Amino acid sequence: QVQLVESGGGLVQPGGSLRLSCAASGRPLGRAMGWFRQAPGKEREFVAGISSNGGRTGYATSVKGRFTISRDNAKNTVYLQMNSLKPEDTAVYYCAASANSYNDYISMDYWGKGTLVTVSS
């Protein structure tokens, strides 16, 4: 069984930055991972994904150029650096991992409980 625990959320002013972390435990993860988010009253959406070796990444159009996903497989941790934050980035951010795929970071099998990011002045 895999457990994913997110951290780093909080309140930030527009234009500010936050770095989210996702620590995986239970067994070593060498598969694709990603970040998703769900804003109030909206469906959960893909934000960013990364392949097992970090060589391939993908981003939602709305965050491209502002967010950066990375991973440290030695620490079983994936990160999401968020810069130039906007009020519309306010959401609960979820870390997710694939059970079997090295490159597919859209269809995920394991999910964290989420961390709240609020962008407001």
Side-chain angles (χ1 to χ4, degrees), residues 68-113:
T68 302
I69 189 171
S70 61
R71 67 189 296 163
D72 184 339
N73 285 343
K75 296 182 178 180
N76 248 11
T77 301
V78 66
Y79 306 97
L80 185 67
Q81 178 67 44
M82 305 186 294
N83 299 328
S84 303
L85 283 161
K86 305 175 181 180
E88 50 264 43
D89 294 317
T90 295
V92 176
Y93 283 72
Y94 298 91
C95 174
S98 172
N100 300 300
S101 176
Y102 292 93
N103 294 299
D104 179 6
Y105 40 67
I106 301 297
S107 302
M108 296 302 191
D109 301 291
Y110 303 109
W111 295 85
K113 294 184 178 181

Side-chain angles (χ1 to χ4, degrees), residues 21-35:
S21 298
C22 172
S25 62
R27 65 175 175 86
L29 270 183
R31 304 293 185 267
M33 297 185 70
W35 289 93

